[in-house]
Amino acid sequence: MNRPGVYIHIPFCRARCSYCDFATGTYEGALAEAYVSAVAREIEAFDLARERVEVDTVYFGGGTPSLLSPAQLSRILDAVRRRFRVAACAEVTLEMNPGTVTPDALRAFRAAGVNRASFGAQTFDERELRRLGRTHTADDTRRTLALLRESGFDNISFDLIAGLPEQTLEAWRLNLEEALRLRPEHLSLYLLEVHEGTPLADQIRQGRYLRPDPDLAAEMYRLMVERTSRAGYEQYEISNFCLPGRESRHNMKYWTGAPYFGFGCSAHSFDGRALRWSNERDTLAYVKLIEEKGSAVAARDELGERDRSAEALFLGLRLLRRGVNLSEHRARFRRDVRADFAEDLARFDEAGLIEIEGDVLRLTPAGALLSNEVFAAFV
Ligand code: SF4
């Protein structure tokens, strides 16, 4: 469980979506080529561990990594295989957007080693897609899923967003039903967050759309928990649902404190103990730094014992069934959560947001909905 994972950030998209604040820009062929070379170089120069550590997940995120050609993706994967031992059973995920892949490209991605696809459906309503600035239609999503299945992908994840501008509970229900009918192995279901500096935030400020209503968002969340559960999906994390055994093995590393090594602009890394670092966010500046220095690390942070304990606590609580085993936590971090947060725990318990069963602390369904308030007390 504690083997490291590798994350590769691909910062290119066909167009910018109105709600997105990720480190991405529009695709340019020459820059993509220089970027792939820089990432391969950064991976090969990685020097945290001298020996070739074994990793069992590789995750291409973005951005829209499926805009890379199979040859470009293979160059990066070859660099990963030269610098790390990639376990035979490794989960290799490629994020993609509907309508960005052809049957030939999918076959070539699979031949290169990709065995899991994660794609941003977001909504099946054409008007909602247009409002978000998405460049695909709902039919593109259905076709992409069919192509993935035909190409042999048996581990597929969809992203959907609830609480979109002017979205009703009924519209969200129809989206959910359609996603469940298509039966991907994994679903990531998010509530829309409006980030400052995005076109969506401006549109809301100008009065074009209303800010998402928190009560309606809560109803949508309850509906997704209920419908996914009836359809046989387990809610293993606050926003993530899967068929039995199909958790995202890579994302589990973030929630369980396993090490992960990120490459590419804005990628974050963690050594599994106390050290975190992250890369330069700007794509061009990243390429230049790698070409000139072989490294683009922009920030490093060494967490103290109390911070590590708090972080393990709020990340662990995201895993709803598993929760946090307080004895194991004390053995690992030498901190007594019951003593450190006695008042907060009593308050959350009284409000029905947490439960302590034996030695295990978990969020309740109400706590999952208000998780940010609970986590704020721990950090
Ligand atoms: S495709 Fe994804 S990463 Fe790219 S702009 Fe849209 S939301 Fe952001």
Side-chain angles (χ1 to χ4, degrees), residues 12-17 19-22 24 62-64 97 122 134:
F12 306 114
C13 292
R14 277 214 301 220
R16 294 281 301 164
C17 305
Y19 56 94
C20 180
D21 74 336
F22 291 164
T24 68
T64 307
N97 271 324
Q122 314 311 12
R134 303 287 296 178

Side-chain angles (χ1 to χ4, degrees), residues 50-355:
R50 283 221 185 99
E51 77 279 18
R52 284 172 72 229
V53 180
E54 183 169 75
V55 299
D56 63 354
T57 65
V58 180
Y59 193 103
F60 287 85
T64 307
S66 54
L67 291 177
L68 293 186
S69 68
Q72 289 172 323
L73 179 121
S74 290
R75 267 166 63 202
I76 296 177
L77 268 178
D78 287 347
V80 172
R81 291 188 184 110
R82 278 195 294 277
R83 184 59 191 80
F84 301 98
R85 279 184 294 123
V86 178
C89 63
E91 174 192 271
V92 182
T93 303
L94 180 69
E95 282 186 356
M96 51 184 70
N97 271 324
T100 58
V101 282
T102 62
D104 284 349
L106 285 179
R107 272 192 291 274
F109 286 141
R110 268 196 81 78
V114 176
N115 53 25
R116 183 171 182 271
S118 171
F119 73 104
Q122 314 311 12
T123 163
F124 290 92
D125 181 303
E126 302 296 349
R127 273 184 317 170
E128 290 173 356
L129 284 169
R130 279 196 298 277
R131 267 181 220 138
L132 295 177
R134 303 287 296 178
T135 55
H136 61 88
T137 63
D139 265 344
D140 287 332
T141 300
R142 296 181 193 104
R143 263 194 300 272
T144 301
L145 179 71
L147 281 182
L148 283 162
R149 293 294 190 212
E150 281 162 25
S151 312
F153 280 85
D154 62 359
N155 198 359
I156 297 176
S157 177
F158 275 11
D159 286 3
L160 285 188
I161 307 179
L164 299 176
E166 298 182 12
Q167 187 177 51
T168 61
L169 188 60
E170 180 59 11
W172 170 239
R173 191 182 66 73
L174 292 175
N175 270 333
L176 263 182
E177 298 300 340
E178 170 96 41
L180 294 172
R181 192 181 63 72
L182 294 171
R183 206 137 182 97
E185 283 69 28
H186 187 278
L187 279 164
S188 295
L189 304 174
Y190 301 104
L191 293 175
L192 180 72
E193 286 181 42
V194 180
H195 298 284
E196 274 317 307
T198 59
L200 179 63
D202 292 341
Q203 290 159 356
I204 290 175
R205 202 171 307 108
Q206 290 155 8
R208 207 162 134 199
Y209 301 121
L210 293 176
R211 196 162 274 284
D213 171 14
D215 292 335
L216 179 59
E219 282 292 298
M220 289 177 169
Y221 187 83
R222 278 190 277 271
L223 184 67
M224 77 169 121
V225 171
E226 186 230 319
R227 279 300 294 122
T228 48
S229 159
R230 265 204 284 144
Y233 287 78
E234 181 194 347
Q235 184 183 17
Y236 71 101
E237 195 268 349
I238 289 175
S239 304
N240 287 283
F241 305 77
C242 67
L243 293 177
R246 296 309 188 107
E247 294 89 356
S248 162
R249 282 165 48 196
H250 183 80
N251 287 344
M252 285 293 287
K253 297 197 184 291
Y254 302 136
W255 300 314
T256 56
Y260 50 87
F261 308 132
F263 301 98
C265 61
S266 82
H268 285 63
S269 304
F270 176 49
D271 72 351
R273 293 185 291 275
L275 198 64
R276 296 193 169 285
W277 64 100
S278 60
N279 277 352
E280 162 64 42
R281 187 176 159 98
D282 180 78
T283 307
L284 273 176
Y286 163 82
V287 171
K288 202 157 173 265
L289 280 167
I290 295 292
E291 282 170 357
E292 286 170 3
K293 298 186 184 167
S295 163
V297 173
R300 256 181 233 280
D301 197 13
E302 183 140 14
L303 300 180
E305 219 162 59
R306 194 184 169 96
D307 287 343
R308 289 171 57 210
S309 157
E311 192 176 272
L313 191 55
F314 79 78
L315 288 173
L317 283 176
R318 297 192 65 94
L319 297 171
L320 299 177
R321 289 247 168 112
R322 182 195 289 217
V324 173
N325 182 305
L326 298 177
S327 298
E328 286 171 15
H329 189 93
R330 190 167 49 237
R332 187 167 169 200
F333 299 104
R334 285 180 287 155
R335 304 230 46 123
D336 184 344
V337 172
R338 291 182 212 249
D340 281 353
F341 300 104
E343 277 178 30
D344 295 310
L345 292 179
R347 182 162 54 92
F348 294 141
D349 190 25
E350 202 178 312
L353 302 183
I354 57 163
E355 61 186 18

